[in-house]
Amino acid sequence: MDVVRGSRVLALGLPCSDVVLEATASKVVPEQLTFSADHQWVPVDPLDALNSFGQRVHVWQVLDVAGEQTEVDLGWYQLDSWKEQENGSVAVVAYGLGIRLDEDPMVWPSSPRRGARLLEEAQRLAGDHLPVILDPGVENVVLDDGLAWGRSRTEALRDLCLSLGLVSRVGVDGYLHLARHRTDSRVIDAIYTERDLLLAAPRTGKREGRANRQTVVGSSGSGEDATKFAATAELTTSPFDADYGVVREITEISGTTSRVGVQAAASRAQSDAAMRATTRSLEIVADPRIELGDVIGVKTSTGELVVGRVDGYSLPVSTGGSMRVDLEVLAW
């Protein structure tokens, strides 16, 4: 673990313990890193290595496999808080670099310039905080005229991505990546079985309140001249028929200015909901390669094959042991 502040290196190879990296896709800033350091690292001055005045940590995990060491880059995190423990050590909490966008709302609501393309507008919304990259398969399309955003950079980027069927994430390189929302269960990044890394995949049953009505609300213009649009896409096939009841998810976006655009966003949301069969939590031998949005397959000892999109995980970085992986199970 290395610590920097701006271009200044504050610590190289920081001695640390109890390092855990957790991520939850539904959070505004998905990644949280926690760790401990010895008492000599307890901050005293604002610019000390483990204080929270812009200090960032770059984390690697070193794996020893059959005597050969491999480094896995786990990315960058901004220090958020620290607390001195009874034994004199310091416990630190850090978040993914998306926190830099969330902490710096724009002064005024804004709109893309006429004829702006996706990459240009995403970079404008991200400001100087993070460079933006379009992942393979994402076209640098010209945006519709009349788009309008509020002050929140994270909400504006969310709406921009939602309107185009994309997701945004901060990669281990510290760049903001725009990628296609993965719903295809035919393309699998990795398969886990009980002969290798899978430890447990218990089956559970619970009414999760999954939405079978997707309503998207959008608007064009502002004030009294604003025109509002709403579109609903329904999932009516069994088991989400009338006897299931109505569970409605309402999403409000500013990334579209027409009824057609709102209907397209609602249809994409319904299609994604139809692909998600249920949720499943796995226990595997810690695998630092897993990222949010990956599609993985799991084959149990009973022959059951589960394919799902990674929605969250808890990775014990320094202690080894088992890792929890939460999946949105995809229908075949």
Side-chain angles (χ1 to χ4, degrees):
M1 188 178 292
D2 298 338
V3 187
V4 303
R5 184 177 185 273
S7 60
R8 181 184 176 191
V9 178
L10 303 180
L12 292 174
L14 175 77
C16 53
S17 60
D18 304 322
V19 186
V20 176
L21 175 60
E22 298 181 308
T24 304
S26 60
K27 293 184 177 180
V28 174
V29 182
E31 307 89 2
Q32 175 181 285
L33 177 77
T34 57
F35 64 93
S36 298
D38 291 340
H39 66 276
Q40 64 263 35
W41 293 98
V42 175
V44 177
D45 296 321
L47 301 187
D48 284 348
L50 296 188
N51 219 324
S52 50
F53 289 86
Q55 286 87 334
R56 291 175 293 159
V57 292
H58 192 187
V59 185
W60 289 269
Q61 186 176 36
V62 181
L63 305 178
D64 191 317
V65 182
E68 294 187 8
Q69 290 192 341
T70 301
E71 287 189 355
V72 181
D73 190 346
L74 297 181
W76 291 85
Y77 305 88
Q78 179 164 298
L79 302 189
D80 183 76
S81 63
W82 57 271
K83 183 178 181 180
E84 188 173 9
Q85 305 298 294
E86 291 184 359
N87 62 3
S89 66
V90 55
V92 182
V93 177
Y95 293 106
L97 295 187
I99 193 70
R100 300 175 75 89
L101 304 181
D102 197 53
E103 290 180 338
D104 181 30
M106 296 179 287
V107 177
W108 305 105
S110 65
S111 298
R113 70 167 184 84
R114 184 179 294 272
R117 291 186 176 271
L118 171 61
L119 180 59
E120 174 192 341
E121 180 61 8
Q123 188 63 71
R124 186 185 72 83
L125 294 173
D128 296 329
H129 298 297
L130 297 173
V132 180
I133 289 180
L134 302 184
D135 279 3
V138 178
E139 296 183 16
N140 192 21
V141 297
V142 176
L143 302 179
D144 294 337
D145 293 336
L147 299 179
W149 319 116
R151 291 184 173 88
S152 170
R153 297 180 188 273
T154 50
E155 289 182 6
L157 284 164
R158 181 211 65 173
D159 288 352
L160 176 62
C161 289
L162 183 61
S163 67
L164 297 172
L166 306 175
V167 292
S168 62
R169 61 178 179 84
V170 179
V172 296
D173 52 8
Y175 286 31
L176 182 66
H177 292 253
L178 304 189
R180 285 288 171 194
H181 189 48
R182 298 280 302 278
T183 58
D184 191 346
S185 59
R186 296 170 299 177
V187 181
I188 300 176
D189 296 307
I191 295 179
Y192 298 90
T193 73
E194 293 183 348
R195 291 177 298 178
D196 42 65
L197 299 186
L198 180 64
L199 300 176
R203 288 177 283 191
T204 60
K206 177 184 177 182
R207 178 175 172 83
E208 300 173 7
R210 283 184 49 210
N212 58 350
R213 302 291 187 275
Q214 299 285 342
T215 297
V216 176
V217 179
S219 63
S220 64
S222 59
E224 296 180 355
D225 297 328
T227 301
K228 295 185 178 180
F229 308 101
T232 297
E234 300 182 358
L235 181 60
T236 58
T237 56
S238 180
F240 300 103
D241 49 22
D243 292 336
Y244 175 77
V246 176
V247 180
R248 188 181 303 273
E249 182 177 63
I250 300 177
T251 305
E252 186 170 354
I253 64 174
S254 55
T256 184
T257 59
S258 67
R259 189 175 302 278
V260 172
V262 169
Q263 184 63 62
S267 297
R268 279 193 295 268
Q270 185 272 336
S271 177
D272 183 49
M275 287 297 299
R276 289 182 280 118
T278 184
T279 59
R280 192 81 168 257
S281 285
L282 315 174
E283 183 183 357
I284 65 172
V285 175
D287 186 351
R289 299 170 298 176
I290 288 180
E291 295 182 332
L292 291 178
D294 285 351
V295 175
I296 64 175
V298 177
K299 189 171 184 179
T300 68
S301 59
T302 62
E304 181 190 17
L305 179 61
V306 178
V307 178
R309 182 174 56 211
V310 177
D311 188 55
Y313 60 80
S314 180
L315 171 67
V317 179
S318 58
T319 59
S322 63
M323 174 184 185
R324 191 197 79 245
V325 181
D326 300 325
L327 295 183
E328 290 182 330
V329 178
L330 300 176
W332 284 80

